[in-house]
Amino acid sequence: QTPLKKANALIAQMGITFLNAYVPSALCCPSRASILTGKYPHNHHVVNNTLEGNCSSKLWQKIQEPYTFPALLKTMCGYQTFFAGKYLNEYGAEDAGGVGHVPPGWSFWYALEKNSKYYNYTLSVNGKARRHGENYSVDYLTDVLANMSLDFLEYKSNFEPFFMMISTPAPHSPWTAAPQYTKSFQNVSAPRNSNFNIHGKNKHWLIRQAKTPMTNSSIQFLDDAYRKRWQTLLSVDDLIEKLVKKLEVNGELDNTYIFYTSDNGFHTGQFSLPIDKRQLYEFDIKVPLLVRGPGIKPNQTNKMLVANIDLGPTILDIAGYDLNKTQMDGMSLLPLLRGDKNVTWRSDFLVEYQGEGYNGSDPTCPGLGPGVTHCFPDCVCEDSYNNTYACVRTLSTSWDLQYCEFDDREVFVEVYNLTADPHQINNIAKTIDQEILEKMNYRLMMLQSCSGATCRTPGVFDPGYRFDPRLMFSNHGVRARRFSAQSLQGI
């Protein structure tokens, strides 16, 4: 059972599925900023979903937006560009220019004001506000986005190449399914993997504070959410089918690349965290990535380590733009899409997140104290100020490893060997070889300060990797790295 049968048939089976596709930050705004800029969060400086965290702020608009890949496609490559859907969570905020702000690089702009909704929302239509109500036939957002996309394909110029970015909020909360799909998947529940509803021992305190076992009401809540998420995706599946059919009718399907992906994963009950994202584990940082298009053989899978920072460079590469002229951290996937032999590829990438928390206490959970947030259901908190971490995720012929450091009082370290422990139950930080720890710590330090080409240097398990222990501040255990306080001062 899957809600994306059409996407599977029309994109995956006609092209390539990347089995190891990741986001460098498991949260909407930083992740979307990484897609648009081709940069890690420490280079685009969007750290969370708030204006203060640089989500769609004036600073973002001034420093990053003019250099996004759609802006380069339009100005440098002569593309007509189309955007429809959720842009950045704070888009349309009054302090950031409201819905009148149309980012550079878009010929046609249909962007949702603020965060995910399905009804009763406002769209910026090329900078003018358009309100929508709650009549399914004219207002259901996924279908509205589909219809706007089909209109663009109908009326666009045939003399210029085109790029479309359709960004459905689905399957984001509030998980409002189209009426015809509200009865679907009645027997589906969240997956019961070996890390479901267990105590996350040997993990950072935010995981340890989760209540185990979860209450029946929490389990029912997360199962309902899982089911509703699937239901909302049925409309996304319909959108994909309509678009592919339209491209086929227009005679454009065979010379169009189609990418399908997401901005983050999601957990439902793993380590007894009821429902959210923002964690460093596979269930939050791993995403689907399916691509079909010219030169891509059907029914392929690829195991290379790819990230959403690669999407911008890939699309610019397809358009013939010289990637050396960009400041992007990612790599073009085009050689992998074409099946080129002897491609030199990365063996690791960076995951980084700066935790969010409120100064005040949550009145519904008075026992928790300040600094935490998203404490629902059952006063289990999904985020906090010191849920701030950076990881190296390594995938090479010899190692499938994740190494993480927390910026908290404990300077907590988590290390997982995913070959032996795919569900990341056992933190091996205290038992793994000290030399590997030091190398990973040094590599993390390198990646956290990388920019452009230096983000693509050989990882710890590449033959070309060079490690000089003298560069470590200490050879006695893992060096503590403080990386959040300064990260915004460099702007």
Side-chain angles (χ1 to χ4, degrees), residues 10 54 60 87 111 113 130 164 169 181 215-216 222 282 287 305-306 316 327 342 352 365 393 412 453 456 489:
L10 296 171
N54 207 25
W60 154 266
Y87 179 57
E113 178 192 35
R130 182 189 290 171
M164 305 175 74
Y181 294 137
T215 61
N216 288 346
L222 66 87
E282 293 285 285
V287 291
L305 195 54
V306 301
L316 288 172
Q327 300 297 304
N342 302 325
E352 51 188 352
C365 305
R393 180 73 180 87
F412 203 79
R456 306 189 285 271
Q489 290 168 5

Side-chain angles (χ1 to χ4, degrees), residues 333-353:
L333 301 173
L334 198 50
L336 302 184
L337 297 177
R338 289 185 178 142
D340 293 0
K341 300 284 179 273
N342 302 325
V343 179
T344 307
W345 201 252
R346 68 164 72 87
S347 63
D348 65 11
F349 79 100
L350 176 69
V351 181
E352 51 188 352
Y353 179 62

Side-chain angles (χ1 to χ4, degrees), residues 283-482:
F283 43 74
D284 284 1
I285 61 172
K286 201 166 189 179
V287 291
L289 177 58
L290 317 173
V291 193
R292 70 171 283 173
I296 304 178
K297 296 191 177 74
N299 254 325
Q300 289 187 82
T301 56
N302 185 295
K303 290 183 175 165
M304 294 294 194
L305 195 54
V306 301
N308 69 4
I309 53 173
D310 300 333
L311 295 170
T314 303
I315 291 163
L316 288 172
D317 197 12
I318 288 168
Y321 188 71
D322 179 0
L323 296 178
N324 294 325
K325 293 182 181 168
T326 73
Q327 300 297 304
M328 294 182 174
D329 303 332
M331 303 167 69
S332 169
L333 301 173
L334 198 50
L336 302 184
L337 297 177
R338 289 185 178 142
D340 293 0
K341 300 284 179 273
N342 302 325
V343 179
T344 307
W345 201 252
R346 68 164 72 87
S347 63
D348 65 11
F349 79 100
L350 176 69
V351 181
E352 51 188 352
Y353 179 62
Q354 187 165 319
E356 259 182 274
Y358 295 121
N359 289 331
S361 298
D362 184 336
T364 57
C365 305
L368 295 175
V372 293
T373 182
H374 296 84
C375 303
F376 172 84
D378 289 329
C379 291
V380 173
C381 301
E382 298 282 0
D383 206 1
S384 66
Y385 279 129
N386 63 357
N387 182 40
T388 295
Y389 56 81
C391 308
V392 182
R393 180 73 180 87
T394 292
L395 188 62
S396 69
T397 45
S398 49
W399 285 95
D400 188 352
L401 194 70
Q402 187 175 16
Y403 169 91
C404 300
E405 288 180 19
F406 276 79
D407 190 11
D408 58 13
R409 277 203 307 259
E410 299 177 281
V411 193
F412 203 79
V413 176
E414 296 189 29
V415 183
Y416 298 98
N417 173 359
L418 284 99
T419 310
D421 178 24
H423 294 127
Q424 295 169 296
I425 292 165
N426 301 310
N427 177 8
I428 57 171
K430 291 194 167 67
T431 56
I432 195 167
D433 182 1
Q434 186 67 25
E435 189 188 348
I436 290 181
L437 271 188
E438 289 184 358
K439 282 184 174 178
M440 295 303 278
N441 169 264
Y442 176 60
R443 179 65 179 155
L444 181 60
M445 193 171 69
M446 299 272 294
L447 282 173
Q448 280 185 277
S449 54
C450 78
S451 177
T454 56
C455 298
R456 306 189 285 271
T457 53
V460 170
F461 299 103
D462 281 354
Y465 177 76
R466 295 286 171 266
F467 172 61
D468 182 353
R470 289 170 303 187
L471 295 172
M472 307 284 290
F473 289 167
S474 119
N475 289 332
H476 311 289
V478 176
R479 189 184 58 75
R481 172 134 168 82
R482 296 274 166 236

Side-chain angles (χ1 to χ4, degrees), residues 88-292:
L88 299 171
N89 300 52
E90 286 294 328
Y91 172 76
E94 275 183 41
D95 294 351
V99 293
H101 170 68
V102 178
W106 298 103
S107 325
F108 301 91
W109 178 253
Y110 302 99
L112 180 66
E113 178 192 35
K114 300 285 188 85
N115 203 356
S116 308
K117 285 187 170 182
Y118 296 77
Y119 293 111
N120 298 314
Y121 52 86
T122 297
L123 289 180
S124 169
V125 179
N126 299 317
K128 302 261 189 302
R130 182 189 290 171
R131 289 276 311 143
H132 276 265
E134 48 192 43
N135 176 348
Y136 169 70
S137 60
V138 291
D139 296 318
Y140 187 67
L141 183 59
T142 311
D143 294 351
V144 169
L145 300 180
N147 293 333
M148 286 172 165
S149 304
L150 296 174
D151 281 351
F152 169 74
L153 287 175
E154 181 69 28
Y155 298 114
K156 69 178 171 57
S157 155
N158 288 330
F159 302 106
E160 298 168 314
F162 69 93
F163 169 74
M164 305 175 74
M165 189 168 190
I166 304 159
S167 182
T168 66
H172 197 288
S173 63
W175 315 304
T176 314
Q180 68 271 31
Y181 294 137
T182 53
K183 298 281 190 288
S184 304
F185 304 121
Q186 289 296 310
N187 301 322
V188 166
S189 54
R192 301 310 202 243
N193 290 334
S194 55
N195 56 8
F196 180 83
N197 200 12
I198 64 166
H199 178 62
K201 61 182 191 302
N202 303 327
K203 289 179 168 50
H204 60 287
W205 77 270
L206 196 63
I207 305 294
R208 300 195 303 262
Q209 57 89 37
K211 298 180 170 73
T212 309
M214 292 182 285
T215 61
N216 288 346
S217 59
S218 272
I219 292 175
Q220 188 177 345
F221 176 73
L222 66 87
D223 277 339
D224 282 347
Y226 191 86
R227 193 174 308 115
K228 286 177 184 160
R229 285 162 64 80
W230 272 30
Q231 290 167 359
T232 67
L233 283 170
L234 289 169
S235 295
V236 176
D237 213 31
D238 292 341
L239 177 154
I240 289 165
E241 181 182 46
K242 288 173 196 165
L243 276 174
V244 171
K245 280 190 171 162
K246 182 70 178 166
L247 287 167
E248 195 166 25
V249 168
N250 287 3
E252 294 175 317
L253 185 58
D254 291 341
N255 62 357
T256 301
Y257 287 90
I258 302 174
F259 292 76
Y260 177 90
T261 190
S262 175
D263 54 359
N264 49 251
F266 207 64
H267 56 254
T268 41
Q270 288 91 338
F271 305 129
S272 302
L273 292 174
I275 184 160
D276 196 50
K277 48 224 172 188
R278 303 166 217 265
Q279 295 299 331
L280 53 91
Y281 308 105
E282 293 285 285
F283 43 74
D284 284 1
I285 61 172
K286 201 166 189 179
V287 291
L289 177 58
L290 317 173
V291 193
R292 70 171 283 173

Side-chain angles (χ1 to χ4, degrees), residues 37 39 43-45 54 57-68 104 327 490-491:
T37 61
K39 295 178 183 176
N43 288 330
H44 61 58
H45 302 291
N54 207 25
S57 68
K58 285 274 204 231
L59 196 69
W60 154 266
Q61 291 171 17
K62 184 175 154 192
I63 296 177
Q64 301 296 340
E65 269 186 353
Y67 306 102
T68 60
Q327 300 297 304
I491 297 177

